[in-house]
Amino acid sequence: MVAFLRLALRRVAMMPVMILGIALLVFVVLQFSPADPAYNALGESAGPEAREAFAEANGLNDPLPVRYFDFLGQLLHFDLGMTVPPSQPVIDRITAAFPLTLQLTFLGLLLAVVLAVVGGVLGAMYRDRWPDQLFRVLSMAGVAVPSFWLGVLLIQQFALNTRIFPTGGYTNPADSFSGWLTTMALPAVSLAVPVAASLARLVRTSMVAELDRDYVRTARGNGLPVLLVIRSVLRNALVTPLTVLGVKVGYLLSGAVVIEAIFDLPGMGKLILEGVTGGDVALVQGTVLTIAIAFLVVNVIVDLLYLLVNPRIRTV
């Protein structure tokens, strides 16, 4: 337990350094944006003198290091700036949009894990037989299908042709839980299928390796129930897929941004699209930074889970 706490504190202690690096990368990259903050804030009618006065008042003429440290100071106070007129705090826009992105990511992750575990276990249990062959074909197809293209197909089939689900929009779960599930079903499936296919192949490979071990043969020879053996094998087999789960969650977060645009969901994807099309550097900067930090936090959590399920690494 002491070793686990030591490694956990080490992972957490690295987070501020990584956040500083992420903030620097996002800030520097967006400095090359062709968007003019003065033009976006003052409008077309503003003359060169007014734009220069705006740039001077807002520190846009300061050297890049000075602007970066000003940005860090604002970030420490949870101040991400203001959007272009009509001006709103960027943090308020993100606070309203980020929960939806988290909902979609969580649903996609839950569905992906369920499909991956079921498919991987069945493929390993029926190795080289028709269920395994079917699993391989489906997993290869799932990996090859882009989530946005799958989303378009699902809209065509289940929203336009059969009208089972809506083509887009969002229903708050507090207003109608069934309506929320209906609006989130197709986006979650679009997001989950490629991740589930990739994870399922890892689960199947790990399960096959564990099923060939001596302790499994001994357990079967002693007449232990199959479900009990599978449960023990599955716990050991999930160690390897868990190592890549953090990366997959990052894929889900970034993929959710694209899926939200396809299904017209008012999440972080809509904010990024709005910021890019409107030349709103502050909005894009705050949204990208939030997603990057969320990705970092998720990876740290996955690392901690990996330490819990794999005691051998605690001695490293």
Side-chain angles (χ1 to χ4, degrees), residues 23-239:
L24 176 62
L25 179 62
V26 172
F27 178 81
V28 170
V29 168
L30 287 178
Q31 296 311 303
F32 295 97
S33 170
D36 183 0
Y39 174 85
N40 293 329
L42 301 177
E44 298 180 4
S45 59
E49 297 82 4
R51 295 181 188 176
E52 181 63 26
F54 177 88
E56 188 65 31
N58 290 274
L60 299 179
N61 293 332
D62 293 338
L64 187 62
V66 175
R67 281 184 284 155
Y68 173 66
F69 283 108
D70 289 342
F71 169 67
L72 287 182
Q74 295 175 345
L75 189 60
L76 289 175
H77 293 87
F78 298 98
D79 181 7
L80 296 174
M82 304 290 290
T83 64
V84 298
S87 295
Q88 292 178 286
V90 173
I91 190 68
D92 291 347
R93 298 291 307 276
I94 291 175
T95 302
F98 195 49
L100 189 147
T101 301
L102 287 180
Q103 293 170 24
L104 180 57
T105 302
F106 174 77
L107 283 177
L109 177 64
L110 181 63
L111 183 59
V113 169
V114 171
L115 292 176
V117 171
V118 173
V121 170
L122 289 178
M125 292 297 297
Y126 294 94
R127 190 188 328 176
D128 296 329
R129 286 181 276 177
W130 73 264
D132 187 28
Q133 301 297 333
L134 178 62
F135 159 77
R136 292 182 183 180
V137 172
L138 293 177
S139 63
M140 290 177 63
V143 170
V145 173
S147 58
F148 66 88
W149 185 71
L150 179 60
V152 173
L153 291 182
L154 291 176
I155 291 175
Q156 179 67 38
Q157 181 61 36
F158 295 103
L160 297 178
N161 293 344
T162 61
R163 300 185 183 275
I164 299 175
F165 297 98
T167 57
Y170 176 71
T171 300
N172 195 307
D175 299 330
S176 172
F177 184 75
S178 60
W180 174 75
L181 283 178
T182 302
T183 55
M184 298 293 282
L186 294 185
V189 172
S190 305
L191 201 58
V193 167
V195 175
S198 178
L199 283 177
R201 299 176 70 178
L202 288 175
V203 173
R204 185 225 176 243
T205 302
S206 298
M207 282 288 296
V208 168
E210 287 295 322
L211 288 173
D212 289 338
R213 293 186 181 274
D214 293 336
Y215 78 91
V216 177
R217 299 191 187 97
T218 303
R220 287 179 171 178
N222 290 333
L224 289 180
V226 175
L227 291 179
L228 182 60
V229 175
I230 292 300
R231 187 176 65 179
S232 300
V233 171
L234 184 60
R235 180 175 179 179
N236 295 329
L238 288 181
V239 171

